[in-house]
Amino acid sequence: MRTSLLFPALLLGCSDFNLEGLGDPQGQKDSGSDTGFKPDEEDLGSCSPDEFPPESVPLSDTCHFEVSGFEPVVVWDVEGNACSQPAVGDIDSNGMPDVVVTLGWLFEAQGELVAYTGEGDLLWETRGAEIAYGSGPTLADLDGDGQAEILAVRLHKYNLMSNSQVSVVMFDSEGNELAESDLYVDGEFDQVTGIAVADMDHDGHAEIVAGRVILNDDLSERGVGRSGRGCDNFVGLSGLWGEGAMPAIADMDLDGVDEVVVGDAFYDPDGQEIMKTHGDDGAPAIANLDSDPEGEYVRATYSKLVAHDTDGSEMWTFELPGSGGETEGIMSNASIADIDGDGLPEVVAARANNLWAVNGEDGSVLWKAKITDTTGATGASMFDFEGDGIQEVVYIDEVALYAFDGTDGTLKFKSDEHNSDTLYDYPTIADVNADGHADIVVTHDGNFGSGGAAFSVYRDKNNSWAPARSVWNQHAYSITNINDDLTVPKTATPNFTTYNNFHSAQALPPGEGVGAELEGEILETCADDCDHGWFVVTGRARNTGTSIAPAGLSLALYAEKNGELTLLDVQVTTTATPSGMSSEAVSFIVESGDIAKADTLVMEVDDNGSSTGIVTECTEDNNEAIVKKPFCE
């Protein structure tokens, strides 16, 4: 949420303008004078938004920090047991992030959700919620009320090898249960599931995906796929057995409709199969691995990584050797980012006591590092903590937390105060206390090796790590999948077209901070329809920051008189605004009577008409553009 301060912005157009700052916007729209027929947008002439396509803009120097070191220390932790993915986001819309975790243990099967502030104070804990021990929470504001909903898997009947009974359950931002889905068996999803959320068909209502089950935002069933569920199968005690359901969602073919991606298939929003491979299911990781614009994915299956093109054809295969046999251990989910700075993505995954980094274009080995994990399933996450242009690879195994240099796998940090049952969890990277610096959140099995902690928050000893978002909302996190305020983008920009990573926080060039930086720009004013009672202002936003501004960005126009502001109109963008680009233009068609006595008109970017918005910016005091008289004469 942003608060409004005023700052001059570049003013362009057919009138002579002066730059001038004003006070905070407030107030309501006054009743206007009698008017004639309101002009249509296609009749606006030089004020038509179509006259002003998006353009590149220079980046601001406001998103900046000093290069730092790498000395992680625990700043707070919580007692208990946990082995699922921690989630971070501002669930109660108070402007500060929160941490939500499933507390549970492999041999207890059912656990509870807990929510803590980013400073470590307990907000709430569920009682008798029967949350599946290996399924982390997913955070999303599904109804747009400013409060997040929390989604998790409920375990009704537990069978380690087969036929567990599970459902998806929804809680409000205070931990109260709101809804529950139908009951499913573990062929659809199971007790180790990462729930993914996206507005797949861009109708303003999110779809909720658990394995191969697609639910509406009220948890009613929309469709069920008939192939994979995102399960990394392996050969276990009783033959072929799989545990886990880790689907991902993206518009892989850029046709305007998202697909559910599992290891061996794509599903449409109704669960219909629109692509099927000849291989096995697996846990997917999405990125652009070749020269075409569409998305590809890497599935982790048994003992190998397999890269698939958009049509499902295999691009390359990398067999990850075991230390005691080809069937030893379960493959971890892959993570993807450009960790060596060559402009191309690398794929990171673990198996049988080794963490591997391979080139995304051909599967050739970049480096490997020794770890301690024969059971597998835990993954890595990546981020440039020091702001030096080199990403660190952060990983947890059965006994330790590690950080490796992304270029060559050199060990930079190891903490033995960790123990894990290794069930698809991996480190979450987010600014959990909104202090402008990244933190690491890691879950532990508190019974062994972590000093009794269920999860810990790590921070740099000097609190000097690079800035990061205060959001990591789900297991299949990919930056553009969720807005800063936990609303679900109506039309999400596919990550592989922008950041091109998966399970990675946003990495920046040395010295640059993370965040959008929005400025207002007046493009044109038109008085042609003043005789009929209408005045037109056309403007847009300029994103001079280093992260994308989502679709649904609000621009508000106010009339100012003696420091008092009256709301005239609000327009909303329909597409995202990338870093270094201007937004689509919007036109405000206002009644001339409403502005007759105004001293100035004020356009506020990222303002829904109540001085609040959806984008966290590097600075919040330069979102305005000002138009001075004359208006209609």
Side-chain angles (χ1 to χ4, degrees):
M1 180 181 295
R2 52 176 292 281
T3 57
S4 175
L5 298 170
L6 293 177
F7 190 82
L10 178 65
L11 304 178
L12 303 173
C14 56
S15 300
D16 292 328
F17 304 138
N18 293 319
L19 301 177
E20 180 173 317
L22 296 173
D24 289 346
Q26 55 187 316
Q28 302 294 323
K29 182 181 184 303
D30 294 332
S31 60
S33 61
D34 292 336
T35 61
F37 185 74
K38 185 175 183 179
D40 294 325
E41 278 200 2
E42 56 265 27
D43 299 325
L44 295 183
S46 63
C47 276
S48 171
D50 295 338
E51 297 292 318
F52 305 97
E55 298 176 335
S56 61
V57 297
L59 295 183
S60 168
D61 61 0
T62 56
C63 298
H64 185 80
F65 67 94
E66 296 299 323
V67 174
S68 59
F70 195 85
E71 298 183 69
V73 295
V74 175
V75 290
W76 60 271
D77 55 25
V78 172
E79 293 184 357
N81 302 283
C83 54
S84 63
Q85 186 66 33
V88 175
D90 180 8
I91 62 174
D92 51 9
S93 192
N94 68 349
M96 296 298 293
D98 309 297
V99 182
V100 186
V101 176
T102 300
L103 295 186
W105 190 38
L106 175 63
F107 299 105
E108 294 172 347
Q110 296 169 324
E112 303 292 344
L113 288 177
V114 295
Y116 282 78
T117 70
E119 296 290 357
D121 298 319
L122 178 65
L123 290 173
W124 49 260
E125 178 178 2
T126 61
R127 298 292 182 184
E130 300 178 333
I131 304 302
Y133 64 92
S135 296
T138 292
L139 314 180
D141 181 0
L142 298 172
D143 54 11
D145 66 350
Q147 307 288 312
E149 282 71 46
I150 297 97
L151 301 164
V153 173
R154 173 167 287 162
L155 181 58
H156 292 263
K157 176 183 177 183
Y158 179 48
N159 187 318
L160 184 60
M161 295 302 170
S162 64
N163 295 324
S164 293
Q165 294 181 349
V166 288
S167 63
V168 175
V169 62
M170 182 191 300
F171 299 88
D172 68 14
S173 61
E174 297 179 344
N176 302 303
E177 186 171 330
L178 298 175
E180 184 177 7
S181 74
D182 293 338
L183 201 63
Y184 295 90
V185 297
D186 60 7
E188 321 296 356
F189 61 96
D190 65 10
Q191 62 272 6
V192 186
T193 292
I195 298 172
V197 175
D199 186 352
M200 295 182 63
D201 53 5
H202 318 313
D203 65 350
H205 295 278
E207 281 68 48
I208 298 163
V209 179
R212 61 188 184 189
V213 175
I214 303 172
L215 305 172
N216 296 305
D217 58 9
D218 62 358
L219 299 189
S220 60
E221 183 181 295
R222 176 163 181 177
V224 179
R226 288 294 174 258
S227 291
R229 68 187 195 200
C231 176
D232 181 0
N233 298 290
F234 75 106
V235 178
L237 299 177
S238 59
L240 184 62
W241 170 53
E243 183 179 41
M246 303 292 160
I249 305 173
D251 182 3
M252 299 293 288
D253 54 6
L254 301 178
D255 67 346
V257 179
D258 293 356
E259 289 81 40
V260 175
V261 180
V262 295
D264 60 350
F266 293 170
Y267 303 125
D268 71 10
D270 295 314
Q272 298 300 307
E273 195 172 279
I274 56 178
M275 188 281 290
K276 180 73 171 74
T277 73
H278 299 293
D280 298 309
D281 193 14
I286 296 170
N288 189 343
L289 304 177
D290 58 19
S291 60
D292 65 33
E294 290 82 22
E296 289 77 45
Y297 72 101
V298 177
R299 66 176 166 96
T301 304
Y302 301 107
S303 61
K304 60 187 178 183
L305 297 173
V306 183
H308 291 268
D309 210 340
T310 319
D311 62 1
S313 59
E314 294 187 7
M315 302 170 62
W316 53 259
T317 299
F318 176 67
E319 291 277 355
L320 279 78
S323 61
E326 197 60 39
T327 61
E328 181 186 33
I330 185 172
M331 265 284 299
S332 75
N333 285 66
S335 301
I336 302 177
D338 177 14
I339 59 174
D340 62 355
D342 66 352
L344 299 172
E346 282 74 45
V347 181
V348 177
R351 181 174 184 261
N353 296 319
N354 283 295
L355 182 69
W356 298 82
V358 302
N359 291 301
E361 57 183 347
D362 59 11
S364 59
V365 176
L366 178 64
W367 52 259
K368 72 173 181 177
K370 293 298 295 182
I371 56 171
T372 303
D373 195 0
T374 57
T375 58
T378 54
S381 51
M382 285 83 92
F383 183 61
D384 180 7
F385 288 90
E386 297 177 275
D388 58 0
I390 299 173
Q391 295 205 45
E392 283 72 38
V393 177
V394 186
Y395 176 76
I396 49 174
D397 63 13
E398 295 174 356
V399 297
L401 165 67
Y402 305 83
F404 300 96
D405 186 300
T407 59
D408 58 10
T410 301
L411 181 65
K412 299 185 67 170
F413 173 78
K414 180 181 179 181
S415 171
D416 295 323
E417 294 183 355
H418 170 74
N419 183 276
S420 175
D421 295 321
T422 61
L423 283 170
Y424 296 100
D425 46 323
Y426 63 91
T428 289
I429 300 170
D431 182 359
V432 304
N433 65 340
D435 68 349
H437 301 280
D439 306 292
I440 304 172
V441 188
V442 174
T443 56
H444 316 282
D445 176 357
N447 288 328
F448 304 99
S450 63
F455 65 95
S456 302
V457 175
Y458 292 79
R459 191 165 298 156
D460 180 56
K461 180 180 179 180
N462 298 312
N463 197 25
S464 59
W465 282 341
R469 292 179 81 193
S470 292
V471 175
W472 196 292
N473 76 306
Q474 63 183 24
H475 191 279
Y477 175 74
S478 60
I479 301 177
T480 61
N481 67 285
I482 195 72
N483 294 326
D484 288 343
D485 64 353
L486 294 177
T487 55
V488 180
K490 185 175 180 179
T491 305
T493 301
N495 175 285
F496 62 81
T497 68
T498 52
Y499 305 110
N500 202 25
N501 55 30
F502 191 78
H503 289 184
S504 176
Q506 183 181 353
L508 300 166
E512 290 188 6
V514 60
E517 181 66 4
L518 300 175
E519 302 171 0
E521 180 180 11
I522 300 297
L523 298 166
E524 190 73 281
T525 64
C526 292
D528 297 347
D529 287 292
C530 281
D531 290 344
H532 302 290
W534 300 101
F535 184 73
V536 182
V537 177
T538 300
R540 65 186 176 191
R542 295 157 49 95
N543 184 5
T544 63
T546 52
S547 67
I548 195 168
L553 184 69
S554 297
L555 290 82
L557 187 69
Y558 295 87
E560 180 271 329
K561 177 67 175 179
N562 296 327
E564 296 292 327
L565 299 185
T566 301
L567 179 65
L568 299 172
D569 192 17
V570 177
Q571 296 291 322
V572 179
T573 64
T574 60
T575 59
T577 307
S579 167
M581 292 293 295
S582 64
S583 73
E584 64 194 87
V586 298
S587 289
F588 304 92
I589 306 172
V590 298
E591 297 182 15
S592 57
D594 289 341
I595 62 174
K597 296 182 179 180
D599 295 327
T600 62
L601 302 182
V602 182
M603 186 188 73
E604 281 254 15
V605 175
D606 196 28
D607 182 349
N608 64 5
S610 61
S611 301
T612 58
I614 62 173
V615 178
T616 300
E617 301 177 55
C618 296
T619 58
E620 300 281 4
D621 60 356
N622 58 349
N623 289 27
E624 292 74 28
I626 312 301
V627 183
K628 293 198 71 174
K629 286 185 175 180
F631 309 129
C632 287
E633 294 183 326

